[in-house]
Amino acid sequence: MSRKPVPAQSGERSRVEVTFDKPQLLPQLFGEFDSNLLMLEERLGVYIHARGQRVVIEGGAEAVAHAREVLQELHSRVIRGEEVDGGLIDAVIAMSTEPMFTGIVRAEPANAGPKPSIMIRTRKKTIVPRSVTQTHYMRELASNDLIFALGPAGTGKTYLAVAQAVAQLITGSVQRLILSRPAVEAGERLGFLPGDMKEKVDPYLRPIYDALYDCLPAEQVERRIASGEIEIAPIAFMRGRTLADAFVILDEAQNTTPMQMKMFLTRFGQNSRMVICGDPNQTDLPGGPNASGLNDAVNRLEGVEGISMVRFGIGDVVRHPIVGRIVAAYEGDG
C-alpha cells in the first residue's frame, strides 16, 4: 500500500503497530488489493500501512484506537471462518461504538452463566450477529418459544429467523418449517394473476424463498418443500390448524388484521416455536397502523410471560449503508 496519509485530524496524533498471527489468513482480512483496509481508512479517517504480519495505523488518537479495535475484531472473525466484506466491516464498526461490544462479541465473561450460542449453523453457512440487537435477537431465537421481531427493513428479522428455523430442522429439533405472510399488495393493484394457487401467491412469498436458498442448497429446499418438511403459504391457509413440532414464522406481520393475528397466534402447538416479524410503522392495510394486527398484538401481549419482544432500530440496518439513511429520512417524515 503506497497511498498518502489521510489529512490530519484535530487533536493528538497517534501511531500504533499491530502484529497478527496466522499469516495465511491475512489476505482474507486485508481483502483483494487491500480493499478492506482501504474501506477502514475511508470509514475511520486513518492511514493503514500493511507489511507482512505487521499493520501500522496512523491518525487521530481516538480514530487509531477505534481502527485497531475494529481490525482485531475482524481478524478474530476471519479465524472463526467468517468472510470479511463491506457489510461485515460496517457492522463491526457500528458495533464497536456500542457499550455492549466488548464481552458480547469477543467472549463471554467466565461468570456470566450459560447463554445460548450467538451463531447459527446451516448447511451453507455460519451466520453471526452484525449488530448488538441481532446478538440479543439470536439469543432469544435460541431460547424462547414466541418472539416478536419489530423494526425497519434490512435489520435481519426474517433472515435470522429463517436461518434459526433451518438449523433446528437440520438438527431434528423440529419436524417442519412453516413460513407465512399475508398476501397484501404494497400499494399496487396487480389485478388478476394467472396460474394455480401456488403460482398466484409465490410472488408475495419470494423474500422467504430467498432466505431459504441462502441457508440450504437449492435441491434440498425443493425436496423438503415437496415432502412437506417446509411449507410456505399465505396466512389464510393457517386457519383451523394446530401447528405442532414446527418452527413457524410470520413475515410482514404488520399487514395482518387483528383477527388474522389472533387466528395465527392461536395455531401454536406443542414443541413449536413461533416468530412474528414486521415493521409496525410500514403497514400496507387501508386503515394504516391502527388497523394492523401486529400493533394490536404488541399492545395486548407486551409483558406477557413467555413472549419476547425484540425491537430493531435504524442503527441495526445491515444492508448497504444508504438503506439506513433512506429509512431514517422516511421515518423522519412520520
Side-chain angles (χ1 to χ4, degrees):
M1 297 172 68
S2 58
R3 302 172 307 281
K4 293 181 180 179
V6 294
Q9 299 174 338
S10 58
E12 182 184 352
R13 297 281 296 173
S14 179
R15 180 182 185 276
V16 298
E17 182 177 301
V18 184
T19 301
F20 294 102
D21 57 3
K22 302 184 184 298
Q24 70 275 17
L25 298 180
L26 295 184
Q28 301 173 51
L29 175 64
F30 297 164
E32 187 176 11
F33 303 116
D34 293 333
S35 58
N36 294 337
L37 299 183
L38 284 166
M39 185 173 181
L40 284 174
E41 287 187 336
E42 179 185 344
R43 295 285 195 272
L44 301 177
V46 294
Y47 169 67
I48 302 175
H49 175 75
R51 175 167 294 181
Q53 294 175 241
R54 295 185 300 108
V55 173
V56 175
I57 309 171
E58 297 181 75
E62 187 174 336
V64 165
H66 190 188
R68 177 176 59 182
E69 182 179 25
V70 170
L71 199 56
Q72 289 173 330
E73 173 60 22
L74 290 171
H75 184 246
S76 69
R77 300 274 187 128
V78 171
I79 292 174
R80 295 201 297 265
E82 297 178 43
E83 180 181 349
V84 177
D85 57 18
L88 180 60
I89 291 171
D90 280 328
V92 171
I93 289 173
M95 292 176 73
S96 67
T97 64
E98 296 284 347
M100 296 175 67
F101 181 71
T102 301
I104 285 184
V105 176
R106 289 212 182 99
E108 296 295 350
N111 61 352
K115 290 187 178 182
S117 170
I118 53 169
M119 68 174 57
I120 299 171
R121 296 187 186 277
T122 67
R123 285 279 190 261
K124 291 182 70 175
K125 59 168 60 176
T126 297
I127 298 162
V128 295
R130 291 195 168 191
S131 75
V132 171
T133 308
Q134 280 195 1
T135 301
H136 171 57
Y137 182 41
M138 289 170 71
R139 288 202 173 106
E140 296 299 295
L141 287 171
S143 59
N144 284 310
D145 291 334
L146 180 54
I147 302 162
F148 283 81
L150 313 171
T155 52
K157 303 183 301 295
T158 303
Y159 185 87
L160 291 175
V162 171
Q164 177 69 8
V166 167
Q168 292 201 212
L169 182 65
I170 291 171
T171 60
S173 300
V174 296
Q175 301 304 309
R176 54 186 175 148
L177 309 187
I178 299 174
L179 312 170
S180 184
R181 65 187 285 174
V184 175
E185 297 165 350
E188 306 95 353
R189 290 292 179 266
L190 301 180
F192 173 77
L193 294 175
D196 59 21
M197 182 58 68
K198 182 178 184 301
E199 292 170 327
K200 290 177 187 293
V201 301
D202 270 2
Y204 297 101
L205 303 171
R206 194 72 248 169
I208 292 177
Y209 281 103
D210 291 342
L212 273 176
Y213 285 123
D214 208 30
C215 296
L216 279 173
E219 63 274 9
Q220 282 203 31
V221 174
E222 301 301 333
R223 175 170 56 81
R224 292 175 187 268
I225 289 176
S227 70
E229 284 183 273
I230 298 177
E231 179 182 349
I232 304 174
I235 190 171
F237 286 27
M238 300 297 112
R239 192 173 297 279
R241 303 174 60 185
T242 299
L243 308 177
D245 296 306
F247 198 116
V248 187
I249 299 173
L250 176 61
D251 192 26
E252 298 292 337
Q254 72 273 8
N255 289 332
T256 62
T257 65
M259 288 304 297
Q260 284 177 319
M261 179 62 74
K262 179 183 177 182
M263 177 274 292
F264 189 84
L265 291 172
T266 53
R267 301 307 92 198
F268 198 94
Q270 292 293 327
N271 192 36
S272 286
R273 183 158 295 175
M274 186 176 283
V275 182
I276 313 298
C277 304
D279 182 353
N281 299 320
Q282 294 295 324
T283 181
D284 297 308
L285 295 172
N290 291 333
S292 171
L294 177 62
N295 291 341
D296 180 67
V298 169
N299 290 335
R300 292 175 184 272
L301 301 177
E302 183 87 54
V304 172
E305 183 179 357
I307 298 177
S308 173
M309 304 276 179
V310 179
R311 290 178 167 85
F312 292 85
I314 296 170
D316 297 303
V317 174
V318 293
R319 293 178 182 170
H320 192 285
I322 199 171
V323 175
R325 295 194 287 272
I326 290 170
V327 172
Y330 273 89
E331 288 199 352
D333 290 341

